[in-house]
Amino acid sequence: MSSAHPHVEGAGEAGSHAAARRGVDRPSRVDLRIDARPGQLSVVRAVAADLAMHQDFDLDAISDLRLAVDEACAELIGLAAGDSGLHCRFEVRPQEIRMAAEVLSADSRAPRQDSFGWRVLAALVDQVWATTAPASADPGGHVVRIELVKRRTREVDG
Amino acid sequence: MRPPTGRDTNSRSPDYDHLAPLFHEMAGLSDDDPRRAVLREKLVTEHLPVAQHIARRFSNRGEPHEDLVQVATLGLINAVDRFQPDRGVDFLSFAVPTIMGEVRRHFRDTGWAVRVPRRLKELHLSINAAIGELSQRLGRAPTPSELAGHLGISQEEVFEGLEATNAYRSASLDDMLVADDDSVSLGDAIGEVDTELAQVEYRETLKPLLARLPERERTVLVLRFFGNMTQTQIAERIGVSQMHVSRLLARTLAQLREELRDATG
């Protein structure tokens, strides 16, 4: 597993400062395509946690991101049509990690925002939103997408 | 405090009733009274079946039975030493959770799902200890680089140690043990939920599911999602490690998700 670490730009404190000085804020990206099945969630969870760990997020933030990604992808898997896949993209910046996950769904229903799961999501990350859009004619259906942003925990006076 | 539940059939066994006066007698003796040691030994010996019974419940889980009996006996000795008969609680109601706690700690310290090299186990334990220390000092959860600095090891080693947590099997054991653990009463956090739940759809379905959770799981969930506390704050409040809170949350959320899906179609 450890050889699969993507090269995260600006990982660690020194790196992120250097990146900020250079004015570089180009995110590094990780794309995952998995079967939209609950059994695949562990892969996405592991990647999320690993990215946050290498970004030197604190342990609460690492765990929160892992839980949030799990919750968001599980929600989407529940909406996914037939044997479609789940596409999950991470963007890693020094101060935040973004995830956008999407599936093809038979109907245009977005995840409910008054659900317990959504409440959980909202508590775990800094921002989360859902969108739907018609998919291309082939195969048709709707693209349902959840995006979330987890920021580095703000330093408090120790 | 909740009244003793008597869930364990032994708690009401008359076999031990005749020993109750000995606790009162011991409580009335001064520390250096030689009679104390005699009473203490008698109380421990006579209650040994309780420790053995609890140890038996956790056999077949990969730990040698003799080790479990030893750990449970240690818990029993602690219970005899700490029991205060004037509190109005009978000894077994006090001793059973104390002994269970000791066994649980044992599993937590030694319980690994797969063979993990000794070096990694030690790494995991030292990281876990460092998390506690640094959280105290910083007032928040530490980062991997802070852990590395504190322990004088590389960040890569910290990553390794954190990943080793996945091989740690205490989670499933906690399931079983926490359900029987009456030593922590956390009901006071639950009142907030009702008002918060007002905005949540399917709350009528959710409520009984929440109510069925073991108390510790429910408390952790409520504090995190309705009480706006961080995992580190929750860990400190209920006296477990942050890693443990993290595991409890992950498992409880997955379980609720499944139950909600079944219940709402």
Side-chain angles (χ1 to χ4, degrees):
Chain A
M1 190 68 199
S2 61
S3 63
H5 293 323
H7 294 283
V8 176
E9 196 156 309
E13 286 298 309
S16 65
H17 288 159
R21 267 201 307 278
R22 292 198 308 272
V24 178
D25 192 22
R26 197 180 60 225
S28 58
R29 293 205 175 89
V30 176
D31 270 299
L32 289 178
R33 282 175 196 279
I34 58 169
D35 290 343
R37 289 204 307 260
Q40 303 276 16
L41 282 172
S42 61
V43 177
V44 194
R45 277 200 303 267
V47 169
D50 199 65
L51 291 173
M53 204 161 72
H54 280 77
Q55 212 49 19
D56 206 32
F57 278 26
D58 73 46
L59 298 185
D60 283 347
I62 295 171
S63 173
D64 283 352
L65 178 67
R66 175 204 278 264
L67 291 171
V69 162
D70 191 55
E71 191 70 36
C73 291
E75 174 77 33
L76 288 174
I77 286 171
L79 298 174
D83 55 353
S84 69
L86 173 92
H87 179 200
C88 190
R89 162 172 287 194
F90 291 92
E91 287 188 3
V92 182
R93 293 185 169 87
Q95 296 305 320
E96 67 180 35
I97 294 177
R98 289 171 177 258
M99 187 211 64
E102 59 184 45
V103 291
L104 269 183
S105 173
D107 62 56
S108 61
R109 188 165 54 94
R112 304 184 61 117
Q113 310 214 347
D114 57 0
S115 69
F116 177 67
W118 197 265
R119 161 120 208 172
V120 163
L121 262 179
L124 289 170
V125 294
D126 295 280
Q127 276 176 280
V128 58
W129 65 97
T131 55
T132 61
S136 57
D138 179 32
H142 298 265
V143 176
V144 182
R145 167 190 268 249
I146 297 179
E147 294 183 61
L148 56 85
V149 183
K150 182 69 180 170
R151 301 208 173 88
R152 182 184 296 285
T153 307
R154 203 159 38 87
E155 300 282 317
V156 289
D157 296 342
Chain B
M1 285 302 274
R2 285 191 289 166
T5 57
R7 216 180 298 161
D8 194 300
T9 47
N10 268 346
S11 329
R12 288 293 167 270
S13 167
D15 294 355
Y16 303 106
D17 283 356
H18 68 283
L19 295 168
L22 299 186
F23 281 109
H24 286 281
E25 186 187 345
M26 192 164 80
L29 296 173
S30 68
D31 281 351
D32 53 359
D33 193 315
R35 169 94 180 129
R36 239 189 126 77
V38 177
L39 287 174
R40 181 174 181 255
E41 192 181 332
K42 182 170 171 62
L43 284 167
V44 170
T45 314
E46 298 274 316
H47 283 105
L48 269 181
V50 180
Q52 285 158 353
H53 173 78
I54 290 174
R56 221 167 17 248
R57 287 182 53 182
F58 300 112
S59 50
N60 305 324
R61 293 182 189 279
E63 288 297 307
H65 181 66
E66 312 81 76
D67 288 9
L68 291 180
V69 172
Q70 205 162 49
V71 170
T73 305
L74 200 68
L76 172 64
I77 294 170
N78 284 338
V80 167
D81 287 343
R82 291 205 302 256
F83 180 60
Q84 295 176 295
D86 53 350
R87 288 283 176 86
V89 180
D90 72 272
F91 175 67
L92 287 173
S93 302
F94 174 78
V96 170
T98 305
I99 297 169
M100 302 270 264
E102 199 68 46
V103 176
R104 191 178 66 222
R105 214 168 4 260
H106 173 74
F107 271 112
R108 204 172 281 159
D109 292 347
T110 61
W112 295 84
V114 293
R115 277 195 75 82
V116 171
R118 172 179 288 274
R119 185 187 69 84
L120 268 187
K121 289 186 193 175
E122 286 169 0
L123 190 58
H124 169 82
L125 288 177
S126 57
I127 286 176
N128 215 352
I131 292 171
E133 260 181 78
L134 284 175
S135 301
Q136 281 281 322
R137 193 186 306 164
L138 301 166
R140 59 165 171 79
T143 67
S145 66
E146 286 164 344
L147 287 168
H150 181 77
L151 292 166
I153 59 177
S154 72
Q155 277 202 53
E156 282 304 321
E157 283 176 290
V158 173
F159 296 156
E160 243 187 311
L162 289 172
E163 275 164 14
T165 329
N166 299 332
Y168 193 65
R169 72 173 178 200
S170 72
S172 58
L173 280 156
D174 286 337
D175 274 347
M176 177 182 61
L177 292 164
V178 165
D180 279 321
D181 186 357
D182 285 338
S183 60
V184 193
S185 185
L186 304 151
D188 57 340
I190 308 302
E192 306 155 34
V193 192
D194 252 20
T195 42
E196 293 282 348
L197 271 183
Q199 308 136 33
V200 173
E201 194 56 24
Y202 296 129
R203 57 187 169 278
E204 295 312 323
T205 316
L206 185 61
K207 270 189 210 166
L209 297 180
L210 289 177
R212 271 215 303 276
L213 290 174
E215 186 162 14
R216 187 179 304 213
E217 268 86 336
R218 188 171 59 239
T219 302
V220 167
L221 196 82
V222 165
L223 293 178
R224 181 67 191 87
F225 298 117
F226 298 100
N228 203 26
M229 285 172 77
T230 66
Q231 293 184 20
T232 296
Q233 289 164 339
I234 296 168
E236 193 178 329
R237 169 147 170 192
I238 70 174
V240 302
S241 71
Q242 182 267 346
M243 285 187 190
H244 190 193
V245 170
S246 176
R247 282 195 299 267
L248 285 177
L249 279 174
R251 205 176 52 242
T252 309
L253 284 176
Q255 182 191 332
L256 278 178
R257 197 154 66 210
E258 218 165 277
E259 290 174 347
L260 270 175
R261 197 182 49 220
D262 292 348
T264 60

